[in-house]
Amino acid sequence: AQSVAQPEDQVNVAEGNPLTVKCTYSVSGNPYLFWYVQYPNRGLQFLLKYITGDNLVKGSYGFEAEFNKSQTSFHLKKPSALVSDSALYFCAVRAPGTYKYIFGTGTRLKVLA
Amino acid sequence: NAGVTQTPKFQVLKTGQSMTLQCAQDMNHNSMYWYRQDPGMGLRLIYYSASEGTTDKGEVPNGYNVSRLNKREFSLRLESAAPSQTSVYFCASSEGAGGSEAFFGQGTRLTVV
């Protein structure tokens, strides 16, 4: 069965500092991995995905994520956080040949000015 | 290009009432999904439709029914609403299986009293 864990309910970081939002997954086979962001009272917006190839994936708004197969992780990163990055972030996984996206419980990122 | 459109945006129901949440996408996507979002629980899949003419249960299907009316439209019906169905409901669509990302609607906030 597929599953995703986001171990931190909330991450606080000072503006200008690097940020990391953690995600680990469990899936049979090579996974497809996704990060989404949700602003208040809005739907989820796609940030980036890993399908295959380079373990470092770059996405929207300066975000990137590192795929680590041995640790079954897909952590979201940004070199320099902005106050406007404050939002709810979701990691999702999809097993090969399947249609379902399985989401984590979300991590609230708070960037402090 | 509207993407994924959900109606209504807000709804209050009394226990036992029925209603249908509507979803339409204009991206010619094959697959469509219904999720519910509850605090601390992330997004949980209710039902999905891999392609026109097919529907399958997700993690939390009890109390819901769906209809894939055509390639564009995927509706979610609550036959007899219960307070436990108070939630934010999101519709999403994707091209199909594999590494394609899902696109989300803006959500329907449903309160059952």
Side-chain angles (χ1 to χ4, degrees), chain A residues 7-35:
Chain A
E8 302 154 319
D9 290 335
Q10 181 159 323
V11 170
N12 296 326
V13 63
E15 188 175 30
N17 282 3
L19 69 87
T20 299
V21 182
K22 295 179 180 177
C23 172
T24 59
Y25 66 90
S26 174
V27 69
S28 298
N30 295 318
Y32 301 113
L33 295 157
F34 307 84
W35 275 103

Side-chain angles (χ1 to χ4, degrees), chain A residues 29-106:
Chain A
N30 295 318
Y32 301 113
L33 295 157
F34 307 84
W35 275 103
Y36 287 83
V37 60
Q38 185 182 34
Y39 297 100
N41 301 314
R42 303 294 299 274
L44 277 70
Q45 296 177 32
F46 170 73
L47 278 179
L48 51 79
K49 65 182 177 184
Y50 172 82
I51 301 176
T52 187
D54 194 349
N55 289 343
L56 185 64
V57 178
K58 294 189 184 296
S60 306
Y61 312 120
F63 284 94
E64 57 191 27
E66 186 167 12
F67 171 64
N68 187 317
K69 188 171 184 177
S70 63
Q71 296 186 7
T72 61
S73 67
F74 189 55
H75 300 332
L76 182 69
K77 301 182 179 185
K78 188 174 183 183
S80 179
L82 300 172
V83 172
S84 57
D85 293 330
S86 298
L88 187 57
Y89 290 81
F90 288 98
C91 181
V93 68
R94 210 187 203 191
T98 68
Y99 291 88
K100 295 189 282 188
Y101 299 88
I102 303 302
F103 283 83
T105 52

